[in-house]
Amino acid sequence: LSMFGTTVGLYGIPWCEKSLLLTVLMSVIGASMGILDTGGNVLALNTWGAEAGPHMQALHFSFAVGAFVAPILAKMALGGSESQDLPAAEHTNQSVWRSVPTASAASALKHHLGADFLWSYVVIGTYLLFVSFFFFILYSKGSSARDKSKASSQKGMFAKYHYALIILLFIFFLFYVGAEVTYGSYIFTYAKVFAEMKENEAAALNSVFWGAFAACRGVAIFCAACLYPGTMILLSIVGSAVSSSCLAFFARYPASLWVGTAVYGASMATIFPSGISWIEQYTVVQGKSASLFVIGAALGEMCIPAAVGYLQGRFHHVPVVMYTALATSAMTFVLFPLMYKLANSPGESDLKEMSESEDRKALLSNSGLNEDEEDEEDAGEWNEADFEVIEMNDTLRNSVIETSRKIPGDSAATVSLQQHLDDVLRDSPAVAGGSPGRKNVNVDREKND
């Protein structure tokens, strides 16, 4: 449904002549893409479960490829037609569309875009329509798979601090995605203004960032099969912290700028898919939780670049972009250990199982089934206690026997009294408790008898 809504919006844009209608269609596309982000992550988790790590990396690798390839293809398409359709004066002044909002410029822009550019919306919409059709076929045949995933989600247990983990990961994704989009959006301007690079060099630096981003996500598909998601997140946040520090303090050196940009792009690549796979190990991730993750990412993508653009306009000589990268890296570096601590705290079910296992162990030791595993010191204490009871019982036995001898009468009374005493001693807790010294009690009793 989300891809079908995107198709409708893309089909309507080429024929849209009113700004209000264009705004509505773009809003439909944005909402549909937001639903697709949420549904795609949850679908991957429900389909592959604990083995969703490589598939999640592949899902987000497709986004990285699109982010890297689409601007290049768009520049090639616009640049190729520019040299043929636009006059030489307009070709030399690339900012004429923004700086001269005249009727001639608007008509030149409309003629320049033409049918080829507008029909690209229809081509992309048709591609999405075919993909949504195939998804509809899979959906119609996947009732058993949906029931299985529903049953597995019901069996899952929520973490002790489930809502705290969801909120912290919401904040984590807000800073991470905001830093990613901010750096990718402003590195071109930073390279031209602060590093004084040429336009083609600045574009190449931007391509290095997104290229390293896409390449590292491709490698992460295979790394996710042998590395835990938490390990990948830890490596990523350490790499982003080191590279952002290098960019914030040593970006004036060209080599540091190029290497730092590449490492920063590679470090930012695997955090989002690894974060979703990581939280799935500790608690149940449903549609509401995944939507909060996407909302946090969308808020970071919307707010942080806008704030950086405002601050950069106010403070022209301060590299706000680099300081923002450093600050967001520091936030993610602090948040992840806190989330890890909360996720590994024992829940109520774990504490109950631990108490049950301890009770079971105590019962086994008291019944004499766990004698070989007890400490020698505890056995010695039990033996000393048993010997004290034996001495007390021997004294009691001797005194009773001496008393019975002084009583005149039949010897049967002595035998009856002796049997009664044996029954009392046999029911004594110290003798019948199953302690390690029980065998010694029986041996001494036989001697006394």
Side-chain angles (χ1 to χ4, degrees), residues 128-356:
L128 291 179
L129 181 63
F130 275 109
V131 176
S132 62
F133 177 72
F134 286 121
F135 259 103
F136 177 76
I137 295 176
L138 292 175
Y139 178 80
S140 61
K141 294 183 178 181
S143 59
S144 61
R146 290 196 304 273
D147 296 338
K148 183 178 179 181
S149 64
K150 184 178 179 180
S152 62
S153 64
Q154 291 177 351
K155 292 181 181 179
M157 296 296 295
F158 289 95
K160 182 179 180 180
Y161 301 100
H162 171 78
Y163 295 103
L165 284 173
I166 297 300
I167 294 174
L168 288 177
L169 200 60
F170 169 87
I171 301 172
F172 184 86
F173 284 149
L174 187 149
F175 283 103
Y176 155 71
V177 177
E180 171 194 318
V181 175
T182 298
Y183 197 87
S185 302
Y186 289 111
I187 185 59
F188 179 84
T189 305
Y190 175 87
K192 290 184 63 177
V193 175
F194 288 92
E196 298 180 354
M197 290 184 176
K198 297 180 180 180
E199 186 173 350
N200 57 348
E201 294 179 347
L205 185 65
N206 192 14
S207 299
V208 164
F209 175 79
W210 289 112
F213 186 86
C216 191
R217 277 198 172 172
V219 175
I221 298 175
F222 305 98
C223 294
C226 57
L227 292 176
Y228 290 108
T231 304
M232 299 181 68
I233 295 176
L234 182 61
L235 294 175
S236 298
I237 60 177
V238 170
S240 63
V242 173
S243 58
S244 61
S245 301
C246 181
L247 290 170
F249 300 107
F250 304 102
R252 60 182 180 272
Y253 302 105
S256 178
L257 181 60
W258 285 92
V259 174
T261 298
V263 175
Y264 189 68
S267 301
M268 301 290 283
T270 63
I271 294 181
F272 194 87
S274 298
I276 297 178
S277 300
W278 175 79
I279 194 65
E280 176 68 12
Q281 295 178 340
Y282 299 96
T283 188
V284 178
V285 179
Q286 298 174 341
K288 295 179 181 179
S289 302
S291 64
L292 285 176
F293 301 156
V294 177
I295 291 173
L299 285 176
E301 183 179 358
M302 178 179 66
C303 298
I304 295 182
V308 170
Y310 173 78
L311 293 175
Q312 191 65 75
R314 293 290 301 273
F315 307 99
H316 302 283
H317 302 289
V318 179
V320 181
V321 178
M322 300 304 178
Y323 291 154
T324 302
L326 179 60
T328 52
S329 298
M331 287 297 300
T332 56
F333 194 83
V334 171
L335 285 173
F336 181 69
L338 179 59
M339 292 189 297
Y340 185 83
K341 180 68 174 178
L342 292 178
N344 285 276
S345 62
E348 296 180 357
S349 60
D350 297 333
L351 294 175
K352 185 177 180 180
E353 291 178 358
M354 291 172 60
S355 62
E356 289 179 354

Side-chain angles (χ1 to χ4, degrees), residues 16 28 61 103 142 155 172 188 336 385 393 397 402 412 423 426 435:
C16 184
V28 170
F61 169 68
K155 292 181 181 179
F172 184 86
F188 179 84
F336 181 69
N393 293 334
R397 185 194 305 270
E402 292 294 331
D423 293 336
R426 189 179 299 110
S435 64

Side-chain angles (χ1 to χ4, degrees), residues 22-42:
L22 179 62
T23 303
V24 171
L25 292 177
M26 294 299 293
S27 300
V28 170
I29 293 176
S32 300
M33 290 182 176
I35 296 173
L36 181 61
D37 287 341
T38 305
N41 293 318
V42 177

